[in-house]
Amino acid sequence: MERYNFKLIEEKWQKKWDKNKTFLSKIDKSKKKFYCLEMFPYPSGKIHMGHVRNYTIGDVLARFKILNNFNVLHPMGWDSFGMPAENAARQNNLDPKSWTEKNISVMKSQLKKLGLSIDWDREISTCSPEYYKHQQEFFLELYDKGLVYRKENYVNWDPVDQTVLANEQVIDGKGWRSGAAVERKKLNQWFFNITKFSNELLDNLKNLSEWPNKVKIMQQNWIGKSFGCEVSFKINSKKDVKQINCYTTRPDTLFGMSFLALSVDHPVAKFYEKDPEFIKFKEECSRTGTTEESIAVAEKMGFKTDLEAVNPLDEKIKVPVYFANFVLMDYGLGAVFGCPAHDQRDLDFAKKYNLKITPVVKPDNTENFEIKDIAYTGEGKLFNSNFLNNLKVPYESINKTIDYLEQKKIGKRKTNFRLKDWGISRQRYWGCPIPIAYDENNNPIKIPKELLPVELPEIKKFNSVGNPLEEMEDWKKVKINGKTCKRETDTLDTFVDSSWYFLRFCSAKNLEYGYDRKDANYWMPVDQYIGGVEHAILHLLYSRFFMHALSYQNKDFNIKEPFKGLFTQGMVCHETYKDRNNNWVSPDEITTINGRKFLKDDSKHEIKVGPSESMSKSKRNTIDPEEIIKNFGADAVRFFILSDSPPEKDVQWSDEGMVSSYKFIQKLWILNQKILDKIKINQSNTVDNELKKITSQFIQNVEINIKNFSYNKIIANFHEVYSKLNKIIEKKIGKVDWITNYKDILIAMSPVIPHFSSECLELLKIEEKISWPAIDKKILIEENINIVIQINGKTRGIISTNKDISEEQLLSEIDKISKIKNYYKNKIIKKKIFIPKKLINIVVT
RNA sequence: GGGGCGAUGGCGGAAUUGGUAGACGCGUUGGUCUUAGGAACCAAUAUGGCAACAUGUGAAGGUUCGAGUCCUUUUCGCCCUACCA
């Protein structure tokens, strides 16, 4: 028998799809649209297994929707600005542009080998001027709407590389590359006013019913809405400080206040700038500032000022004012009042500096209430609180206290958000230039529309330090309205690029504007967005913001939520290996002898097998998809990557599993030939219900499982239908029967293994346009079913009987089975529970 | 510290609304065919037991005729977030 030559067949179909533009998408109002989008890749060099998984999941859905007569948009592009290109350019002495373009062409050819149903005519690349021109226009539009502004902000500055570092590039307070101690530096930077939409971004989450709950909760926490109030504290001091305001969610604990704590960046700090003790303290604070863990563990430290704060509820109570390392300037007002009895941080602080600890909340039904090492944050009643005593904590106490403070005009109810505005300036070359210039007084001036795009100047050589744009004197000069101005040399955060690319896909070639109104209104929102959960917060939130911002004050565009459905897939994992020198070893350097692993050229020293972790270059536990496709074919890889785990969970790469998927395709091929042979022999026009039932069952299962993203179960369905067909093949079934049923089975398989299915359908001489088969539900209703017989809730037998059997009939049937009867004869039957079509439970004593 | 998710054979995982626990795959074992098999095919495979049977979904309770599924308590693991006032 002829083997399945996946190489020839897959190439044949890929060429055909390409040539016929099978997946070209056009507006067609006679059909329902379906916008299927997977997160576009960063062109890092080669595709990895994560891409294979991501794009296979999306492709199965897109092809399924096409078969169901949806008008499907399934595009692909490149998130092609970003630091890796700069790093590669620095290392290898080349320019980021050609590096990126080379990677794109490699990865594009790799993706094509997967046989994806992509409309490549809509391909976009964020680093091309045709794309970022529109982004610059959007920037200016948002600028006009007041959603973009400039302010001074701290950055992580690497003094050796002369560059700004992202938070994740700061490791233990040092630059990841240079190893130099990172400094805090104040720079003028551009911001998007994302906080303007805090409430909307939060409230709209509840309408996103097709998003994973997990992601919605993460965004909710990130936005971090809290209810509380601002309280003013009178200050007694010789300095010019009359009042300090604090934000609090617990104003009801004011009578327990024993100090006031300020951030070292608080405006009041200016009075202490020359105090050497304060300078020392501030330095100490910034030293323990970088890693998250160290922050959490860091000891509470304070610097006592000569200020004195007055308790607004009782002017007789006066407390000291400290600067404290645990108060942050960028949350609330950079100042808090300390209530040690009911806040752990305050308690730690109070103990260290011997401050008063006055409990004001006690749990109900307690007599002797004392605070020792743990602050009490639970419910209860107020005490030690003068006129607030006996109020119920928290709801009543908080609200009544705020009412009182508002009445006395010493406090104001206030909602606070954790969300901060989005800093979009990056001191980098390989990004979208910010379309702004500065006049001689350093006032920002918009680059006029007709001068867009502001193109990135080409560079030949990449210096190892700084942003090369800074040194391009010719490029920096620009004439606006006859005035010579200096260009902004910062570029945009690459998250901006990916905040609207899905919109661009709707009208990828539109020259006038970033999108075409007609196209956007037809295709948007994305019906199903698929990607890694690592983008659950920033990318998704920024994209949501961007659509809100474009919709803002815009009567032509009102798409606020870009992603109707969201699916977050898990990672692809593989065992990790280390040699005897503790160096990571790649799986393809290893050979297995008698279940033990060795280096291929060293059979003496065994390889240490580590835990399975997500594939990464640094741990060298990656599997190259191109190699795998070359050896097993795209269909087999697609089949395997879906097989082992539910798509939302991590999947374990397994060589055995891959081989078994490959073999399964081969088995399907053999079966296909057997069926073709049968069709030739038996020309009769019979109707075979068994075959029809197998077919209908399969189609129904696959359909349900695709809809629920239970792709691993589809693979099980494939195995089941194979083994059933393989059994029924010897039965005398006529030509027509085989063709009608087998055709439907092949169509139902095609979303997962499109090349194989297409080839078999062609061999079956199916020429009409295929669509998802309708099933005859009646045939799936079984006349005879299994009914479970339980005695006292334990299964004692199963009866195969007519589905409509009555309780009495069933009981008399059971009575005939002595094995079961033994369990209840000579006993009193207390109760019988009969669930038609399912079971009967006889309760005896 | 806060929040979320999860725990089922040797492994990955199935199990609509509470109703035959372990689908499907991997691995393992036995067999057939082969010069050979790391190929193909067939069979077995939760645990204990010759068997009847008993026990089994992290642990302990509870609700129910019946619990992997619901409730309470608890242990462990993973993820996110982080001095959020």
Side-chain angles (χ1 to χ4, degrees), chain A residues 557-715:
Chain A
F557 185 87
N558 190 26
I559 298 158
K560 292 194 172 165
E561 289 301 333
F563 311 120
K564 184 163 165 264
L566 173 70
F567 187 86
T568 52
Q569 105 254 4
M571 289 179 297
V572 184
C573 300
H574 194 283
E575 278 180 335
T576 46
Y577 307 112
K578 277 184 171 180
D579 65 15
R580 64 201 171 103
N581 301 321
N582 257 340
N583 295 318
W584 298 106
V585 179
S586 147
D588 49 50
E589 296 169 322
I590 285 175
T591 177
T592 308
I593 304 164
N594 296 331
R596 293 160 67 195
K597 291 188 162 59
F598 298 93
L599 278 179
K600 275 180 181 154
D601 51 2
D602 174 8
S603 58
K604 285 201 193 80
H605 305 282
E606 208 171 325
I607 290 291
K608 278 177 274 179
V609 179
S612 184
E613 293 182 63
S614 69
M615 289 188 179
S616 79
K617 276 184 197 155
S618 62
K619 287 175 201 130
R620 304 198 66 205
N621 62 339
T622 56
I623 299 285
D624 179 11
E626 196 170 17
E627 269 302 290
I628 298 289
I629 295 171
K630 207 172 92 196
N631 292 337
F632 301 105
D635 282 341
V637 176
R638 294 165 62 112
F639 189 86
F640 171 70
I641 205 77
L642 300 177
S643 70
D644 272 0
S645 300
E648 70 276 11
K649 288 223 244 166
D650 287 355
V651 66
Q652 173 74 32
W653 180 267
S654 117
D655 293 332
E656 293 80 11
M658 185 59 245
V659 171
S660 125
S661 297
Y662 168 77
K663 286 179 187 166
F664 182 71
I665 305 282
Q666 292 292 344
K667 289 201 273 185
L668 281 179
W669 181 248
I670 291 164
L671 176 69
N672 179 66
Q673 290 177 72
K674 284 194 208 160
I675 292 171
L676 291 180
D677 289 346
K678 291 280 169 187
I679 290 169
K680 268 183 231 150
I681 298 162
N682 189 341
Q683 297 282 326
S684 71
N685 294 333
T686 53
V687 174
D688 187 88
N689 272 331
E690 197 184 349
L691 179 58
K692 199 174 171 193
K693 198 182 258 179
I694 291 171
T695 306
S696 302
Q697 189 69 64
F698 174 65
I699 293 162
Q700 182 179 295
N701 288 344
V702 172
E703 194 172 324
I704 291 170
N705 288 330
I706 288 182
K707 285 179 177 162
N708 295 332
F709 281 102
S710 302
Y711 289 6
N712 54 327
K713 287 193 251 166
I714 298 175
I715 303 304

Side-chain angles (χ1 to χ4, degrees), chain A residues 78 80-81 97 101 124-140 429-435 449 451-458 469 475 487 491-494 496-498 500-501 504 508 510-511 513-514 546:
Chain A
W78 308 96
S80 48
F81 269 139
K97 185 166 178 250
E101 281 168 355
I124 56 173
S125 177
T126 58
C127 72
S128 76
E130 296 86 63
Y131 182 85
Y132 66 68
K133 177 193 172 196
H134 305 293
Q135 187 160 311
Q136 292 171 345
E137 272 174 24
F138 285 146
F139 178 94
L140 295 175
Y429 166 75
W430 194 233
C432 170
I434 295 175
K449 237 184 165 182
L451 294 183
L452 295 184
V454 178
E455 281 201 49
L456 266 186
E458 290 199 16
L469 292 177
W475 179 81
R487 283 190 197 279
T491 52
L492 287 173
D493 179 5
T494 55
V496 180
D497 309 343
S498 55
W500 68 282
Y501 78 107
R504 184 64 185 162
N510 189 28
L511 296 173
Y513 197 60
F546 214 86

Side-chain angles (χ1 to χ4, degrees), chain A residues 38 56 63 206 265 395 445 458 490 563 714 798 819:
Chain A
E38 302 95 293
T56 302
R63 285 177 180 272
K206 21 177 210 299
D265 298 314
Y395 186 77
I445 295 172
E458 290 199 16
D490 285 354
F563 311 120
I714 298 175
I798 297 152
K819 191 187 148 206

Side-chain angles (χ1 to χ4, degrees), chain A residues 203-219:
Chain A
D203 291 346
N204 278 1
L205 284 173
K206 21 177 210 299
N207 303 328
L208 298 173
S209 59
E210 293 172 50
W211 278 40
N213 223 7
K214 177 175 70 169
V215 174
K216 286 193 274 189
I217 288 165
M218 280 159 86
Q219 292 218 354

Side-chain angles (χ1 to χ4, degrees), chain A residues 180-247:
Chain A
V182 171
E183 296 167 4
R184 278 179 96 204
K185 194 173 162 180
K186 239 180 182 179
L187 287 182
N188 247 318
Q189 300 189 277
W190 289 96
F191 284 81
F192 277 152
N193 189 5
I194 187 169
T195 54
K196 186 180 180 82
F197 301 103
S198 297
N199 261 321
E200 278 176 273
L201 290 170
L202 181 68
D203 291 346
N204 278 1
L205 284 173
K206 21 177 210 299
N207 303 328
L208 298 173
S209 59
E210 293 172 50
W211 278 40
N213 223 7
K214 177 175 70 169
V215 174
K216 286 193 274 189
I217 288 165
M218 280 159 86
Q219 292 218 354
Q220 191 183 313
N221 292 341
W222 190 259
I223 295 167
K225 188 176 189 173
S226 72
F227 301 94
C229 76
E230 244 180 79
V231 187
S232 316
F233 293 86
K234 263 191 211 151
I235 302 295
N236 296 330
S237 168
K238 285 178 204 135
K239 297 195 167 66
D240 187 22
V241 188
K242 298 272 178 314
Q243 181 184 322
I244 290 174
N245 291 351
C246 296
Y247 174 74

Side-chain angles (χ1 to χ4, degrees), chain A residues 801-817:
Chain A
T801 177
N802 184 284
K803 67 178 166 53
D804 298 317
I805 193 168
S806 70
E807 188 175 346
E808 291 74 33
Q809 285 169 318
L810 182 61
L811 281 167
S812 76
E813 286 295 315
I814 294 169
D815 232 31
K816 292 179 201 152
I817 306 166

Side-chain angles (χ1 to χ4, degrees), chain A residues 728-786:
Chain A
I728 207 179
I729 189 89
E730 295 310 325
K731 200 173 162 187
K732 266 213 159 109
I733 296 173
K735 176 183 175 177
V736 175
D737 242 8
W738 267 121
I739 293 179
T740 50
N741 286 292
Y742 184 50
K743 177 195 79 177
D744 286 353
I745 290 173
L746 287 172
I747 294 170
M749 285 181 166
S750 68
V752 178
I753 46 172
H755 312 88
F756 177 90
S757 304
S758 301
E759 182 69 13
C760 293
L761 282 166
E762 192 179 77
L763 292 171
L764 207 57
K765 303 206 168 57
I766 302 297
E767 266 149 25
E768 79 265 32
K769 199 179 156 281
I770 58 165
S771 60
W772 192 258
I775 56 162
D776 179 4
K777 289 210 166 159
K778 265 182 266 161
I779 201 153
L780 292 177
I781 299 167
E782 306 269 352
E783 274 310 306
N784 277 304
I785 49 161
N786 290 335

